[in-house]
Amino acid sequence: MRKITGISAITMRIIFCFLMGLTAFPGVRAQQNKLMNERLQEWHNMVLNNDVFVSVYVGYGSYNMSGMRKSQKDMVALSGLKALTNSDFPPYWLYGVSISQRYDASRFGFSCESMSTGARSSIGDYSGAYYSDFRCSGLKIGFFIEKDFPFKIERYKMLSFGYRIEVGGFSSEVNQHIQITINGLDPSTQIKTLQLSTAAPFFEPTVYANGHIDRKTNIQFSLGYMLDIPPTLPISLSTHTYPASWAGYRIKLGLVRQL
Amino acid sequence: MKLSYLIICLLCLSSCAFEPEGLSFFDVTKPAASQPLELTLTINEDSIYLYGDTRLSFSLVTFGKTFNVARIHYYDQAFSTDKPNDSFTITPKATTGWVDLTIDFYVSTGTGSIADKLKVENYVLSKTWKIKYIDLNKVGLNEGYRIHPDGYLEVYLVQPRQKHDGSYGVSKYGNTIPVTRISGDTAFYADKSYCSDACSYSFWFRFDANNIFRKDLIVNLPKAELKVEAIGLDSCRVSWTKSPLKLYYTLNETLYKGFANEYKTTILSSESKYFSLGVFPPNYQNQTFSTYKVDTYFNLGTAANYFMCYAVEKDKFFISRDLGLPYIESANIPLPASDPNSQYKSKVNILCSPNGKYIAGYLYSQIYVYNENLTFSKKIVADEISNYRPYYSITNDGAFTYQLGATIVMKNLTGIGWDTFSFISDLNPNPNTVYFSVIANSIDGKYMSICGLSEFRIYDVSDHKAAKVVFKLPAADVGSVVAHPTNPGLIYVIHNGKMELRTCPGFDLVKAINIPVSNYYFHSVDPFSNILLLMTDKYYYFIDPDTSKELLKLRLNSVWDYNVKLVRNQFETYLNILDLTNYLIK
């Protein structure tokens, strides 16, 4: 499948989430209803026992995107125009939420994170303008386990440190948009848009520091690095496929609320 | 409530996705308003004729600018080429009208702008030609002929317009004619052997291996027509229609040779002259025999191979044109011509009395008698008399007189009284003797003058029973005798070598007539004008007896051709009649 529409992308995300949920319930096939009821009851108890944490965070991530970067160069070269790079898949904001449960000294949970980056090469003069844009967005859903390190700084006892190991999958959506505008030419704007989606697994180790604001609320700062097995995308105007790798550093700041 | 707050936060965050922005703008100099471009097409015409698949080449000089594309449109076809020097082939459609052939040339402005690099900013040269299909099977291949100033025939082929790369030729009955010269788009072929008549020239024109067109040209110049006109009474002008070609002519092989269209030659009064015109083509020097000949016979006056007689008192002619039947008709001047299909003289000789009352024709031993109204009356048996015999006459009293050796026979045509009468004279009885003005009846039939072997005698035959000699002289004294054609009491005689008019039968001298000719023979007297017809061995002389003036002289066709007749200025020979009215003016 070379091109996936927007509706299909959403469908894929739902399926992805559903499958991730199923991973939390191994052996679901044999005693599906009974087991599901038991687990829901456990979750209810956990919440009642204040063992469930919800986190909302914002971060800043760098994204490898070497394949997309090469694709952009190839596109510009193909056009024959000496377009200059305005943006080249720069680090950009990311957002996410997570939910976890305490279990002994560790917390297990799921996170959902949105990432985005992109690129633009352009050139313009009196006769018109040329734009070659990439808009890449990623939705990452992972299962993580985190655990505090068994030490504290004496002077800052409200701080705690720990690490997190997160694995999961992410979906990528790449919008390639080429626009040529020639003044006086009818049609004045020529647009070529290509939207591609794909999914791949990732692994992200993170270290974090928690600062306790009150008894149930923490502010968490984390630093991690995401590794992935990048999927390849068939970018138009080329017979090649290009990998869309979201690998890179992640700096995140979030609020963690104990329910 | 907490969950809703969480969802709202997520939606707000997710809307802050990366959005590329910025534009790298360059200040590029705009192109000039125009750019010189020079276009050359294979056919340097605004209108192009197509005769089949036609390959056209164009060349565009851009003067340093980069050529982008040329878009070519014609009929319902459109295509492009990225070469400034290129060619294409038009397969014409069988349309009769003009169609546009348009080529739009796009040349880069060279500014380096985006539009320039994308080849959408161009200097545009749009050129339109008119193209038209010509079906050479119907039109467009023109041929013709002309006469070269040197006088020979040139056929030519005008090559189709703008189609000068074809091959062509012409043949005449399968023989190829080499091209003589080429002038512009026209090829000329000289045919120096052509003279006249229909001749077919087959042209062919081929402009590629698959298309050959043929046309035939018929050249049909008329043959020469021969015409002969009399010039006076002794010569004629032979002319022939002038051909637009410069042809070489021969007349009677050697009589004339040259390029003119007429020739003057002599002709005798009673001569039927044959003219044969040989026509040679302009290259006659290489040709032994003429291409064709036209010939004709010509004689002066009116062709008349019939017998005729003249009744002076009625001033009327009688003629017999029928070959075998005794059919007589009346005629006036001008006397009619013979039937052109009748080459032989009629056999029935006719004669009439001077008063016109008695008309008869004789054939062999038969005398056919006619009334005044020319109806046949009766047939009388006579001796076998030949037209060769010189003497026969009908007198005003209806006596048909002829000579049979020495015997003079008279037959009565009136049917009243006597039937026949004859007597023996002292003429030479030898039937081969040709008598010449030695017998003369007075026109009233009463007297007969005969120059015999021994004597000149005047007989009184008025009773038609016996011939009584009423006057005689020694034969040596009188050479010829001719009765006066209108006065029964006069005779012309050559007495002692001189022409005299004397009374009959008294032989009294009326007057002597000075004849300005020597060694002549007395032939006859015109009853209308009294002009004397004399002859020598070479000429006929026409003498006015009153003035002794020689009015006319005509050369004989043969020696002693006495078989002529002069009546009412009409001079009849064995083949023609000359109207001498304008010549015999006293």
Side-chain angles (χ1 to χ4, degrees):
Chain A
M1 182 171 66
R2 181 172 178 82
K3 181 176 181 180
I4 303 170
T5 62
I7 295 174
S8 299
I10 294 171
T11 305
M12 285 195 64
R13 290 187 181 192
I14 294 170
I15 293 171
F16 175 75
C17 294
F18 179 72
L19 290 176
M20 291 302 291
L22 286 181
T23 58
F25 304 98
V28 70
R29 294 176 184 170
Q31 299 172 335
Q32 184 175 7
N33 294 335
K34 183 179 178 182
L35 185 59
M36 183 68 79
N37 291 336
E38 289 176 355
R39 290 297 172 90
L40 289 174
Q41 187 60 47
E42 286 179 10
W43 275 100
H44 180 73
N45 294 337
M46 286 179 188
V47 172
L48 290 178
N49 295 333
N50 294 329
D51 288 336
V52 175
F53 299 86
V54 174
S55 170
V56 178
Y57 60 87
V58 62
Y60 201 73
S62 68
Y63 310 106
N64 179 277
M65 289 294 172
S66 59
M68 292 295 102
R69 196 172 281 112
K70 185 175 187 308
S71 169
Q72 171 76 325
K73 288 181 179 177
D74 290 348
M75 290 302 293
V76 171
L78 203 61
S79 71
L81 301 174
K82 295 179 180 177
L84 299 183
T85 302
N86 299 102
S87 54
D88 189 18
F89 301 96
Y92 199 68
W93 298 102
L94 57 86
Y95 317 95
V97 295
S98 67
I99 183 169
S100 58
Q101 179 193 0
R102 188 196 305 276
Y103 192 82
D104 294 336
S106 301
R107 288 183 295 277
F108 303 89
F110 297 94
S111 69
C112 179
E113 184 178 298
S114 174
M115 308 167 288
S116 68
T117 185
R120 164 172 284 186
S121 294
S122 69
I123 186 171
D125 56 29
Y126 67 89
S127 65
Y130 168 82
Y131 301 93
S132 177
D133 292 347
F134 272 89
R135 292 176 177 83
C136 303
S137 61
L139 181 62
K140 184 181 74 177
I141 295 178
F143 172 75
F144 65 85
I145 178 172
E146 66 181 13
K147 189 174 183 180
D148 292 345
F149 293 120
F151 66 86
K152 289 197 176 190
I153 299 173
E154 197 63 31
R155 188 174 179 181
Y156 303 103
K157 288 188 176 179
M158 76 286 275
L159 292 179
S160 61
F161 301 94
Y163 65 93
R164 182 191 306 126
I165 302 298
E166 183 175 5
V167 294
F170 65 92
S171 69
S172 294
E173 183 176 290
V174 175
N175 281 283
Q176 182 191 17
H177 181 84
I178 298 172
Q179 176 175 318
I180 301 172
T181 302
I182 302 298
N183 298 332
L185 192 66
D186 187 22
S188 60
T189 302
Q190 297 185 351
I191 299 173
K192 180 172 181 62
T193 300
L194 179 66
Q195 189 174 46
L196 299 169
S197 297
T198 185
F202 75 93
F203 171 74
E204 183 177 334
T206 305
V207 293
Y208 62 82
N210 275 335
H212 303 286
I213 297 173
D214 58 22
R215 191 175 59 87
K216 288 189 175 182
T217 304
N218 294 335
I219 183 168
Q220 185 181 64
F221 175 80
S222 64
L223 175 62
Y225 189 86
M226 176 178 166
L227 296 170
D228 62 358
I229 300 174
T232 56
L233 293 171
I235 304 300
S236 63
L237 302 177
S238 172
T239 56
H240 298 100
T241 55
Y242 298 91
S245 174
W246 290 90
Y249 290 100
R250 302 289 190 269
I251 298 172
K252 302 173 186 175
L253 180 64
L255 285 175
V256 181
R257 176 73 175 178
Q258 185 176 7
L259 298 179
Chain B
M1 199 55 195
K2 291 177 181 176
L3 185 59
S4 301
Y5 174 76
L6 185 60
I7 291 172
I8 291 170
C9 287
L10 283 174
L11 289 174
C12 291
L13 291 173
S14 64
S15 65
C16 298
F18 176 83
E19 187 62 33
E21 58 185 12
L23 174 64
S24 304
F25 191 86
F26 290 86
D27 191 10
V28 178
T29 304
K30 291 184 178 181
S34 62
Q35 164 70 20
L37 299 173
E38 187 174 291
L39 173 64
T40 305
L41 192 70
T42 309
I43 299 176
N44 187 26
E45 302 282 349
D46 291 333
S47 302
I48 300 172
Y49 294 92
L50 307 176
Y51 297 94
D53 288 356
T54 304
R55 190 157 190 82
L56 297 176
S57 299
F58 61 82
S59 174
L60 184 72
V61 178
T62 60
F63 298 99
K65 299 296 182 184
T66 303
F67 176 81
N68 279 341
V69 71
R71 300 188 191 281
I72 302 162
H73 313 263
Y74 58 88
Y75 297 133
D76 54 353
Q77 300 206 10
F79 53 91
S80 301
T81 177
D82 57 357
K83 299 174 183 173
N85 304 314
D86 205 348
S87 58
F88 58 94
T89 300
I90 299 178
T91 299
K93 291 186 176 181
T95 56
T96 56
W98 289 96
V99 178
D100 285 348
L101 162 65
T102 301
I103 306 180
D104 298 323
F105 298 93
Y106 296 88
V107 176
S108 169
T109 59
T111 59
S113 68
I114 294 173
D116 179 42
K117 289 180 178 177
L118 295 177
K119 299 184 178 180
V120 295
E121 180 183 82
N122 292 285
Y123 294 113
V124 180
L125 172 63
S126 183
K127 174 75 174 176
T128 297
W129 296 264
K130 293 290 184 182
I131 58 175
K132 185 177 185 179
Y133 173 60
I134 302 294
D135 184 355
L136 286 180
N137 288 311
K138 300 175 181 176
V139 294
L141 195 61
N142 298 315
E143 79 292 335
Y145 70 91
R146 66 187 288 273
I147 308 301
H148 189 273
D150 289 344
Y152 54 82
L153 179 73
E154 271 189 328
V155 296
Y156 60 83
L157 176 68
V158 181
Q159 297 177 55
R161 293 180 183 177
Q162 301 170 357
K163 197 66 185 172
H164 306 309
D165 55 347
S167 58
Y168 45 82
V170 64
S171 62
K172 176 184 176 183
Y173 301 121
N175 299 315
T176 299
I177 302 176
V179 63
T180 309
R181 62 191 176 94
I182 295 176
S183 176
D185 59 356
T186 305
F188 292 89
Y189 304 83
D191 183 2
K192 296 183 179 179
S193 65
Y194 177 79
C195 284
S196 65
D197 277 353
C199 183
S200 178
Y201 297 87
S202 300
F203 292 90
W204 59 269
F205 180 82
R206 182 201 299 270
F207 64 81
D208 60 32
N210 301 319
N211 292 285
I212 183 167
F213 300 92
R214 300 181 187 278
K215 287 196 80 173
D216 288 336
L217 170 69
I218 305 293
V219 179
N220 190 3
L221 297 180
K223 277 186 173 179
E225 293 182 5
L226 200 56
K227 181 182 177 183
V228 187
E229 299 171 292
I231 304 175
L233 295 171
D234 58 357
S235 59
C236 61
R237 178 189 294 110
V238 185
S239 63
W240 46 94
T241 50
K242 186 172 179 61
S243 171
L245 302 169
K246 185 181 180 182
L247 300 178
Y248 184 74
Y249 300 100
T250 62
L251 190 62
N252 291 3
E253 304 291 347
T254 57
L255 186 61
Y256 168 77
K257 291 181 178 180
F259 298 96
N261 287 87
E262 67 172 35
Y263 180 74
K264 293 177 183 176
T265 184
T266 59
I267 187 170
L268 301 175
S269 58
S270 58
E271 182 183 12
S272 178
K273 200 158 190 174
Y274 174 73
F275 294 104
S276 174
L277 180 72
V279 181
F280 289 80
N283 63 344
Y284 68 97
Q285 291 163 329
N286 300 324
Q287 193 160 334
T288 304
F289 301 102
S290 60
T291 301
Y292 67 89
K293 284 186 175 180
V294 287
D295 54 16
T296 187
Y297 283 90
F298 178 74
N299 53 258
L300 297 173
T302 302
N305 57 2
Y306 51 78
F307 287 101
M308 66 94 166
C309 60
Y310 175 67
V312 62
E313 293 182 24
K314 289 189 175 181
D315 190 20
K316 183 172 288 184
F317 289 88
F318 301 101
I319 62 175
S320 174
R321 288 194 286 185
D322 195 289
L323 284 178
L325 298 175
Y327 176 73
I328 295 174
E329 55 187 307
S330 177
N332 293 308
I333 293 175
L335 292 170
S338 301
D339 181 353
N341 297 320
S342 174
Q343 299 179 2
Y344 302 101
K345 192 174 180 73
S346 73
K347 295 178 180 177
V348 181
N349 199 348
I350 62 170
L351 59 160
C352 61
S353 61
N355 59 12
K357 289 184 178 179
Y358 305 103
I359 308 160
Y362 67 87
L363 179 63
Y364 305 122
S365 59
Q366 302 292 331
I367 297 174
Y368 299 89
V369 182
Y370 292 82
N371 296 324
E372 281 187 89
N373 58 6
L374 301 181
T375 56
F376 177 72
S377 171
K378 61 183 176 182
K379 185 168 66 176
I380 297 174
V381 177
D383 299 293
E384 185 166 340
I385 50 180
S386 169
N387 287 333
Y388 182 73
R389 298 285 177 167
Y391 188 79
Y392 38 83
S393 70
I394 298 177
T395 54
N396 283 340
D397 60 350
F400 185 97
T401 305
Y402 61 91
Q403 175 206 356
L404 186 63
T407 303
I408 304 297
V409 182
M410 302 179 79
K411 296 285 186 181
N412 186 9
L413 303 181
T414 64
I416 301 172
W418 62 284
D419 289 330
T420 184
F421 163 69
S422 65
F423 65 95
I424 299 175
S425 69
D426 64 342
L427 291 169
N428 188 345
N430 185 350
N432 295 324
T433 300
V434 176
Y435 292 96
F436 204 81
S437 299
V438 295
I439 305 171
N441 281 86
S442 62
I443 60 171
D444 57 2
K446 292 180 178 177
Y447 298 95
M448 198 162 182
S449 303
I450 298 177
C451 297
L453 290 175
S454 57
E455 291 179 331
F456 165 74
R457 297 171 184 168
I458 299 177
Y459 295 91
D460 179 357
V461 293
S462 57
D463 61 357
H464 301 119
K465 292 179 181 177
K468 293 174 287 188
V469 176
V470 295
F471 180 82
K472 61 180 179 182
L473 280 175
D477 293 346
V478 179
S480 297
V481 60
V482 173
H484 193 284
T486 55
N487 189 338
L490 297 175
I491 56 173
Y492 289 96
V493 294
I494 297 176
H495 184 225
N496 295 325
K498 292 184 178 179
M499 178 73 76
E500 293 174 346
L501 180 62
R502 288 181 176 269
T503 60
C504 178
F507 206 69
D508 297 327
L509 178 65
V510 177
K511 72 171 182 179
I513 303 171
N514 182 31
I515 300 299
V517 181
S518 59
N519 298 325
Y520 67 89
Y521 286 84
F522 192 12
H523 183 278
S524 60
V525 180
D526 185 346
F528 177 79
S529 61
N530 283 329
I531 291 174
L532 307 179
L533 175 60
L534 312 178
M535 59 185 296
T536 64
D537 59 343
K538 292 183 179 178
Y539 293 97
Y540 297 109
Y541 291 92
F542 300 83
I543 307 297
D544 180 4
D546 298 327
T547 62
S548 298
K549 181 181 177 183
E550 178 189 312
L551 302 177
L552 181 64
K553 180 174 75 173
L554 294 178
R555 187 175 178 83
L556 272 69
N557 191 27
S558 59
V559 177
W560 299 121
D561 183 7
Y562 55 83
N563 193 18
V564 296
K565 186 179 288 182
L566 177 67
V567 287
R568 209 191 188 287
N569 295 329
Q570 307 299 304
F571 185 66
E572 182 194 36
T573 72
Y574 74 99
L575 63 86
N576 64 342
I577 294 173
L578 299 177
D579 186 354
L580 303 181
T581 303
N582 295 330
Y583 298 94
L584 301 180
I585 299 174
K586 293 180 179 178

